[in-house]
Amino acid sequence: MGVVFDIKRFAVHDGPGIRITIFLKGCPLSCWWCHNPESISAAPQKVKKQLKLNGKVYTEEETVGKEVGVSEVMQEVARERIVMEESGGGVTFSGGEPMLQSDFLLDLLMASKKEGYHTSVDTSGLARQEDFEKIIPFTDLFLFDLKIMNEELHKKYTGVSNRKILDNLKFLSDNKKTIRIRIPVVKDVNDSEENISQTIFFLKTLKGIEQVDLLPYHHIGKSKYERFGLKYKMPDQIETSDEEIQAIKSKFENEGFKTKIGG
Ligand code: SF4
């Protein structure tokens, strides 16, 4: 059994083809820009939801996150089999941090491979190396977040050191896995010349990097914070301009990385 907080069908940014993405609840990071604050706490949560009907506002309670078994999840995945097969898609496990529920994730990946699905794991990279080792044989593609290279800044903006994360990325590369790097681009946080150069320098030491995705910061998750009783730490954050994102993209491309803006 594990806790899932969302299922997205027809996902086109979480790996090749059209996919179904399963979101596992719980994350050991607390990134300032996180647009899924409902993913951070590992247990199901009760939150208040406001509905407007005929000019009146009604408040109702909803539970975010549900404890489910592997077979229940696989039934949902099976409904998308034709779409996945015809588009060259598959199933992606995301979060939160899916590795936080490592046994559940392993069972889901094994069940997916048994059915012949292409599998992706979208990870922050913060997990025990032995847990990565277990899922490697059943994971076709890793979507690996790389946020900030400077350890102190990483701690400031995510709450954790990046050492284990960088070690795990190297570990996957050494194990000849196919990896897509995902970089949230947050203005004045990680878009500096220095951070981009250090990121490129590190990635050039690795093998198996099939693509770099640049994910520009946006305000989408801001309104959710209040509902979850959390403080939004970037109320005045401005978005990166198209020109700035294009300039970062060119830097990666000039170093030979296939680079995309968006997932
Ligand atoms: S790693 Fe992802 S899910 Fe976890 S806090 Fe950061 S942005 Fe949110």
Side-chain angles (χ1 to χ4, degrees), residues 27-31 33-37 39-40 95-97 124 145 147:
C27 184
L29 281 72
S30 49
C31 307
W33 53 85
C34 182
H35 61 260
N36 279 336
S39 71
I40 294 174
E97 171 48 66
S124 68
D145 295 359
K147 298 177 169 94

Side-chain angles (χ1 to χ4, degrees), residues 7-11 18-22 73-87 89-91 117:
I7 292 180
K8 183 165 75 179
R9 298 175 194 279
F10 304 106
I18 301 175
R19 313 185 68 80
I20 178 166
T21 301
I22 314 293
V73 175
M74 295 315 295
Q75 276 170 24
E76 293 296 324
V77 175
R79 287 170 54 194
E80 306 304 321
R81 181 186 280 277
I82 293 172
V83 175
M84 291 191 288
E85 284 177 357
E86 289 190 351
S87 68
V91 55
Y117 303 137

